[in-house]
Amino acid sequence: AKCFYNLTSLNNLDFRQIIGLASLEDAFMQFPSGLEDITLRECHQLKNLWGSSNTVNLVKLKSLVVSECSQLSSLEELGVLPTLKYLEIKGCSALQSLPTLSGLNILRISSCSALSCLPMDKLLLPQLRNLGISQCQKLNLTPEIVIEDTSTSIEILEITGCPCLNLRTMLGSVYSFASLRFLDIRDCDHHLDQLPTPSLERVSLVRCKNVSYLPSGLGRLRSLFLSSCSSPLLFPQGDF
């Protein structure tokens, strides 16, 4: 039954372990138009966020965190939310795709076992600065959309435990990640023979089996952390 109404001043919503909640529209007679932050954790019957009819009311939504909602398979309602800046998705095992979010600044995805496709156009967003992906076992880039001569705005990139994500393709073009300052890659089996070097200030490589050398042109590098990289590593000569 819809049990919330006339909450015109509500700007923060945090639902955890709500049994039987299939959609937020089930809980509200009138969807609050002032919501800026929504957090949904361990709502295992959640199948969609709030229904397309309520999206028009979320004109102020800036942050969305969805964690351990095992039946959530789609986030298409988010595709028309230009105000959304922060999106964190964790442990949503039925989620299969992501919408394009034109105004997003930060995207964090982890432990989404059914998520298999990440088109490069999701990364070529003008406002996206921070991208973190971890423990998504099936996730890979859509190869036909890899664009070599278009620059992303990503400054922070963190990838952990994504065996199907071809980082060699993803990072292969200097132009694609020309703004990248911080790179953290862990548990990677792919050859990383090219790094986007122009702006890198911090690099962390942990348990990356096929890193054989570091490129030259790392003149802005301030911090370098290497651990358990099994290949013999060659350092650049001359100007590091």
Side-chain angles (χ1 to χ4, degrees), residues 74-110:
S74 173
L75 297 172
E76 292 305 316
E77 297 107 312
L78 302 181
V80 290
L81 289 178
T83 59
L84 190 66
K85 303 300 181 185
Y86 179 91
L87 176 61
E88 179 179 341
I89 308 296
K90 178 180 179 181
C92 295
S93 55
L95 184 66
Q96 298 180 16
S97 63
L98 296 173
T100 297
L101 302 164
S102 58
L104 206 61
N105 294 152
I106 302 174
L107 175 60
R108 317 293 292 179
I109 311 167
S110 62

Side-chain angles (χ1 to χ4, degrees), residues 28-135:
F28 293 93
M29 292 186 68
Q30 182 177 359
F31 218 72
S33 60
L35 277 175
E36 297 181 5
D37 303 281
I38 296 178
T39 298
L40 303 168
R41 298 187 189 273
E42 298 182 72
C43 297
H44 294 296
Q45 284 78 45
L46 190 74
K47 295 182 178 179
N48 66 73
L49 293 175
W50 44 71
S52 58
S53 61
N54 290 304
T55 301
V56 293
N57 294 324
L58 294 170
V59 294
K60 297 182 179 180
L61 188 65
K62 297 178 181 178
S63 171
L64 175 65
V65 176
V66 185
S67 177
E68 307 295 339
C69 296
S70 56
Q71 293 191 40
L72 183 67
S73 60
S74 173
L75 297 172
E76 292 305 316
E77 297 107 312
L78 302 181
V80 290
L81 289 178
T83 59
L84 190 66
K85 303 300 181 185
Y86 179 91
L87 176 61
E88 179 179 341
I89 308 296
K90 178 180 179 181
C92 295
S93 55
L95 184 66
Q96 298 180 16
S97 63
L98 296 173
T100 297
L101 302 164
S102 58
L104 206 61
N105 294 152
I106 302 174
L107 175 60
R108 317 293 292 179
I109 311 167
S110 62
S111 302
C112 294
S113 56
L115 189 62
S116 60
C117 176
L118 181 64
M120 276 294 287
D121 62 351
K122 299 292 191 296
L123 308 183
L124 299 172
L125 302 176
Q127 304 299 323
L128 188 62
R129 299 288 186 267
N130 187 321
L131 174 64
I133 307 173
S134 66
Q135 306 303 330

Side-chain angles (χ1 to χ4, degrees), residues 2 17 32 47 69 80 82 123 136 142 144 161 217 224:
K2 297 186 179 184
Q17 298 180 331
K47 295 182 178 179
C69 296
V80 290
L123 308 183
C136 294
T142 301
E144 63 269 19
L224 175 62

Side-chain angles (χ1 to χ4, degrees), residues 192-193 195 203-206 208-215 218 224-237 240:
L192 296 178
D193 52 6
L195 295 179
V203 173
S204 179
L205 302 175
V206 178
C208 295
K209 296 181 180 179
N210 291 303
V211 177
S212 56
Y213 69 91
L214 294 178
L218 293 170
L224 175 62
F225 179 71
L226 304 174
S227 177
S228 303
C229 296
S230 56
S231 297
L233 187 63
L234 298 177
F235 289 88
Q237 297 181 354
F240 188 64

Side-chain angles (χ1 to χ4, degrees), residues 166-169 188-194 210-212 231:
N166 192 333
L167 290 172
R168 188 179 189 183
T169 298
C188 174
D189 293 338
H190 292 282
H191 286 277
L192 296 178
D193 52 6
Q194 297 185 57
N210 291 303
V211 177
S212 56
S231 297

